[in-house]
Amino acid sequence: MGGDEFAIAIFNIATFNDLNAIFNSISIAIQANKGFDLSVGSASTLDDIKTFDELYVAADKALYKAKEKGRNQFCMYEE
């Protein structure tokens, strides 16, 4: 992870919409209090990912896809 990147593990999320709602809440709070945007890449063990390393790589790929789309984006990993 780079200097402006961090990881969060969220457990027991049932759907993409649940995860998107969490992203929106975090993004709104950060923008209101800190004044900067948030780009998020997400991966799930539901995508047949077995190890932490595979999960990390998938989330990192999704993060760079989010950054390519512009500021304040949320992207899920897609094979």
Side-chain angles (χ1 to χ4, degrees):
M1 279 183 270
D4 64 343
E5 298 175 356
F6 59 92
I8 299 173
I10 302 173
F11 300 93
N12 300 321
I13 299 296
T15 68
F16 173 78
N17 288 336
D18 293 340
L19 195 55
N20 195 41
I22 292 169
F23 162 71
N24 285 332
S25 296
I26 292 170
S27 180
I28 289 167
I30 286 175
Q31 288 178 6
N33 293 307
K34 300 295 180 187
F36 59 87
D37 295 319
L38 178 68
S39 296
V40 174
S42 179
S44 169
T45 56
L46 297 175
D47 294 323
D48 202 31
I49 295 173
K50 305 269 189 269
T51 69
F52 172 80
D53 288 340
E54 290 174 339
L55 191 64
Y56 179 85
V57 168
D60 194 50
K61 287 179 182 178
L63 171 61
Y64 281 93
K65 182 178 175 183
K67 288 181 176 184
E68 286 174 5
K69 289 173 63 176
R71 295 179 174 264
N72 207 38
Q73 298 293 316
F74 175 72
C75 288
M76 288 289 294
Y77 171 74
E78 297 175 358
E79 291 186 62

